[in-house]
Amino acid sequence: AHNDREPVFRASNANLNGLPSIDMDKDEEDGGAMETADNSALNVAGTGGFCAYAVLNINNFSNFSFVMTRTNGSSWTRGWGVFYYNGNYRFFLSWNTPSKYVELSNVSNTTSPYIFKLHYDNSTITAAIVGNANSRNGTKSYSGTVNESGISKGIWLNYGGSSNPGTYQGDWDYGEFLFYNSPLDAAGQLQTEEYLKDRYNISGTFS
């Protein structure tokens, strides 16, 4: 067994085009998770927005299962994130404020990789799950800077900040995570997405 919360490194993952993965199991001890150190480079309130991508294979999830986030404590009302919530994925700037999240329906294939994308440019929240025939996209107009008040943590993968670890985890195998502390223009998004699709042999389109 590995240390509490520590994910498992796999040198080759058949579901991620044979590339390495970091595997996080919600049922392993208190739920596998990763957290970066806090850093001013993660602040996006004054940068015009941000862009985050995660490439992962979905094995299993609970009703509340975080994919990626940088948020406050366990209330998730500030910062940003993506999590599975009762059948759908919410791409949020505040998880329970409808004007501040895009909700995309669940995906059914658990043997192929997906690219999760959350992009915000202080005017539009753009969300996507791209993975072959299961691809889906959505946008929502919202104007305002990201509220980062009180956030003292870095970026969490598979951890929602609960006081009861293991509650908000899924079973994800991560191939890659990319974070930009300002929004990408259309060319930058296309370049990043084509790189991820080629690397992990993913088809599907980002609208």
Side-chain angles (χ1 to χ4, degrees):
H2 55 77
N3 293 333
D4 186 34
R5 315 233 61 187
E6 182 181 331
V8 173
F9 173 76
R10 194 190 311 187
S12 178
N13 189 321
N15 291 331
L16 288 162
N17 205 26
L19 295 167
S21 66
I22 300 294
D23 298 354
M24 303 186 194
D25 186 342
K26 69 183 178 67
D27 297 319
E28 179 70 27
E29 298 188 14
D30 286 330
M34 292 184 72
E35 179 187 331
T36 71
D38 192 23
N39 190 292
S40 60
L42 302 177
N43 299 335
V44 300
T47 66
F50 68 94
C51 187
Y53 293 92
V55 181
L56 61 150
N57 184 74
I58 301 169
N59 299 309
N60 199 0
F61 35 74
S62 303
N63 283 340
F64 304 90
S65 299
F66 274 82
V67 175
M68 56 181 174
T69 185
R70 183 170 189 254
T71 188
N72 56 306
S74 58
S75 58
W76 324 320
T77 54
R78 298 189 287 278
W80 55 269
V82 178
F83 80 124
Y84 177 80
Y85 175 66
N86 286 343
N88 296 311
Y89 287 91
R90 286 189 179 178
F91 296 69
F92 70 86
L93 303 183
S94 177
W95 84 275
N96 205 26
T97 305
S99 64
K100 296 184 180 182
Y101 66 73
V102 175
E103 197 160 68
L104 301 181
S105 60
N106 193 16
V107 292
S108 58
N109 190 331
T110 59
T111 59
S112 299
Y114 293 93
I115 303 170
F116 281 73
K117 170 189 178 180
L118 175 57
H119 184 273
Y120 182 58
D121 61 3
N122 285 4
S123 65
T124 304
I125 303 169
T126 300
I129 304 172
V130 171
N132 308 323
N134 277 299
S135 300
R136 57 217 57 205
N137 300 265
T139 61
K140 180 164 290 183
S141 295
Y142 174 73
S143 179
T145 59
V146 178
N147 183 351
E148 296 177 314
S149 175
I151 296 177
S152 59
K153 299 288 187 179
I155 291 173
W156 286 322
L157 301 181
N158 202 34
Y159 178 39
S162 170
S163 59
N164 298 302
T167 303
Y168 302 111
Q169 280 68 55
D171 288 351
W172 325 118
D173 298 346
Y174 279 83
E176 196 153 345
F177 173 77
L178 299 173
F179 173 73
Y180 302 89
N181 66 353
S182 61
L184 297 179
D185 61 18
Q189 292 177 62
L190 179 62
Q191 183 178 25
T192 303
E193 291 154 14
E194 289 302 310
Y195 154 73
L196 293 174
K197 288 168 64 176
D198 289 346
R199 178 170 169 79
Y200 293 95
N201 193 28
I202 296 172
S203 62
T205 59
F206 292 85
S207 296

